[in-house]
């Protein structure tokens, strides 16, 4: 029987009551990526030195290829979860002809619009919403050889990043970060066109290249009307991340414990999920997992407008401490990372990334 947890209160985070929280930003949000990634790299090196194991990250998530630090198959990871909690997803290999594409879509009954994206990819790279067969054919005709996903589009609903951990020995679960993700949007005032609202929006005007080209920029939305300009929930693609960590409770932890219990060897990482309503975060049957990240995960609540840079660094340090503790426990319990295999996988990963850049 599926377990359903109920949130003890219907109170919502302050962000839900704001007209447009995506206009807000913190002191470092639009700074260079290395402001966050460099401290993570340093902490990773220090963890390897303390644990005396350069492949410690594999011990963190033995169930994920390379511990989820790099080159982890999205498709293989989703297979570990209950199908009720995942969108319908098909793995295919590029190049594809139009007849192959028609056959795949028809046989698997995935309706348009749908999502197409690389099986191995990061930061929203080459993720596109596809409206019809011609667009899907064009997507694959322009891509390098490799594995790609055709995925059901969960268009409606609210997206969150949920950072989950499990102690590898006791099995005790924990959620350390919860963030609401809001893709690029503008809100109408009944006077200005979408194009004018874009030019005046402090966030959207930084990411005009991510605005869906099908949007009619001359359209004047009604006062209070929300216009979604992009489907992508990636920060580097303009999405706003708002901290909701204060609402993590035992009931939510139990809910995600049930969801993640199907994935043996997953002890640390972020689940990007969609729900219809805020309250559905406490209901196992109403959560859809869009993607799962392992040891390369960030606690994305740090990008919230009310988080200072010093707080962000403190949170990153806290999460690396959690990751190191999990690795230390696994290593003491006898897990031995295959360093040669990890190094070979890394070299292959670097080679594929270089070929992708050359293709682009």
């Amino acid at each position: 029987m599926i377990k359903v947890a109920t949130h003890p209160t219907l109170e919502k985070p302050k962000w839900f009551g704001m007209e447009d929280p995506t206009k807000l930003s913190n002191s470092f949000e639009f700074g260079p990526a290395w402001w966050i990634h460099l401290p993570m790299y340093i902490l990773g090196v220090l963890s390897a030195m303390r644990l005396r194991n350069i492949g410690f990250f594999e011990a963190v998530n033995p169930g994920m290829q390379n511990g989820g630090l790099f080159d982890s198959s999205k498709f293989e990871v989703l297979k570990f979860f209950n199908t009720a909690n995942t969108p319908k997803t098909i793995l295919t290999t590029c190049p594809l002809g139009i007849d192959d594409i028609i056959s795949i879509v028809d046989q698997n009954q995935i309706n348009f619009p749908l999502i197409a994206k690389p099986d191995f990819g990061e930061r929203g790279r080459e993720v596109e919403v596809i409206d019809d067969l011609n667009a899907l054919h064009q997507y694959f005709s322009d891509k390098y050889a490799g594995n790609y996903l055709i995925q059901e589009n969960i268009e409606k609903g609210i997206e969150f990043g949920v950072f989950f951990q499990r102690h590898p020995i006791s099995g005790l679960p924990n959620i350390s970060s919860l963030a609401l993700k809001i893709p690029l949007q503008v809100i109408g005032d009944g006077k200005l066109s979408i194009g004018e609202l874009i030019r005046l929006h402090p966030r959207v005007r930084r990411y005009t290249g991510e605005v869906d080209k099908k949007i009619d920029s001359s359209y004047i939305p009604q006062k209070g009307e929300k216009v979604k300009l992009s489907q992508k929930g990636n920060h580097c693609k303009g999405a706003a991340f708002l901290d909701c960590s204060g609402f993590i409770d035992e009931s939510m932890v139990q809910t995600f414990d049930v969801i993640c219990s199907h994935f043996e060897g997953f002890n640390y990482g972020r689940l990007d999920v969609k729900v219809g309503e805020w309250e559905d975060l406490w209901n196992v049957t109403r959560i859809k997992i869009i993607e799962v990240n392992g040891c390369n995960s960030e606690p994305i609540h740090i990008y919230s407008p009310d988080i200072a840079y010093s707080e962000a660094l403190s949170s990153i340090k806290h999460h690396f401490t959690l990751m190191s503790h999990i690795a230390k426990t696994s290593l003491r319990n006898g897990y031995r990372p295959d360093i040669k295999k990890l190094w070979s996988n890394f070299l292959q990963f670097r080679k594929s990334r270089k070929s992708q850049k050359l293709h682009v």
Side-chain angles (χ1 to χ4, degrees), residues 76-352:
E76 291 300 321
V77 168
L78 288 178
K79 282 168 56 178
F80 287 103
F81 293 91
N82 192 316
T83 54
N85 293 120
T86 58
K88 189 180 294 185
T89 306
I90 307 302
L91 177 68
T92 189
T93 302
C94 193
L96 281 176
I98 186 65
D99 292 337
D100 297 322
I101 293 171
I102 293 173
S103 176
I104 290 170
V105 174
D106 287 346
Q107 288 179 14
N108 294 282
Q109 298 180 332
I110 297 182
N111 300 321
F112 292 99
L114 51 78
I115 302 294
K117 58 184 178 182
D119 186 31
F120 298 89
E122 300 172 343
R123 298 171 65 81
R125 180 180 56 82
E126 297 184 33
V127 177
E128 293 187 24
V129 180
I130 307 295
D131 290 323
D132 52 41
L133 277 172
N134 288 334
L136 190 58
H137 181 231
Q138 178 60 40
Y139 178 88
F140 282 109
S141 66
D142 191 40
K143 295 296 179 285
Y144 51 85
N147 292 337
Y148 287 80
L149 303 184
I150 296 176
Q151 189 174 72
E152 174 188 6
N153 182 25
I154 311 297
E155 185 173 359
K156 295 182 180 180
I158 315 168
E159 187 170 355
F160 289 88
V162 183
F163 211 116
F164 180 85
Q165 298 99 34
R166 184 186 301 283
H167 192 279
I169 304 300
S170 68
L172 290 175
N174 179 51
I175 296 176
S176 56
S177 170
L178 175 68
L180 169 66
K181 303 169 107 180
I182 304 180
L184 286 178
Q185 68 172 28
V186 290
I187 298 180
D189 63 359
K191 300 176 182 178
L192 300 177
S193 68
I194 291 178
E196 291 170 320
L197 291 169
I198 288 174
R199 287 191 292 273
L200 293 173
H201 199 289
R203 178 180 297 273
V204 180
R205 67 189 180 202
R206 291 174 176 266
Y207 298 96
T208 54
E210 300 299 331
V211 175
D212 189 337
K213 292 180 174 56
K214 297 184 291 292
I215 298 289
D216 180 5
S217 61
S218 64
Y219 171 72
I220 300 176
Q222 298 179 5
K223 184 176 177 61
E225 179 184 351
K226 290 184 180 180
V227 180
K228 185 182 287 188
L229 304 175
S230 170
Q231 293 272 17
K232 299 175 182 178
N234 306 87
H235 189 261
C236 62
K237 302 295 182 181
F241 294 166
L242 308 177
D243 183 20
C244 300
S245 300
F247 286 79
I248 298 169
D249 59 13
E250 184 58 33
S251 186
M252 182 187 292
V253 173
Q254 291 174 8
T255 298
F256 281 88
D257 181 26
V258 172
I259 290 175
C260 294
S261 64
H262 299 278
F263 191 175
E264 186 177 352
F266 173 65
N267 300 315
Y268 177 95
R270 193 186 71 245
L271 286 75
D272 294 329
V273 305
K274 272 195 174 183
V275 293
E277 302 291 341
W278 161 250
E279 292 80 8
D280 293 341
L281 274 176
W282 287 264
N283 190 325
V284 172
T285 65
R286 297 178 182 174
I287 295 172
K288 288 286 188 180
I289 303 168
I290 306 302
E291 196 168 299
V292 180
N293 298 277
C295 288
N296 63 349
S297 300
E298 293 174 295
I300 61 174
H301 78 279
I302 65 174
Y303 294 105
S304 188
D306 56 338
I307 301 293
Y309 184 57
S310 58
E311 293 179 85
L313 294 181
S314 177
S315 181
I316 290 171
K317 182 180 179 182
H318 171 68
H319 280 79
F320 268 80
T321 299
L322 289 172
M323 181 166 60
S324 295
H325 179 66
I326 292 171
K328 184 177 181 179
T329 304
S330 292
L331 292 169
R332 281 185 173 178
N333 200 43
Y335 186 85
R336 292 293 176 264
D338 188 335
I339 304 300
K340 288 184 178 180
K341 183 179 178 181
L342 285 171
W343 180 245
S344 176
N345 290 347
F346 179 71
L347 293 177
Q348 183 61 38
F349 168 68
R350 290 290 301 273
K351 182 179 178 180
S352 64

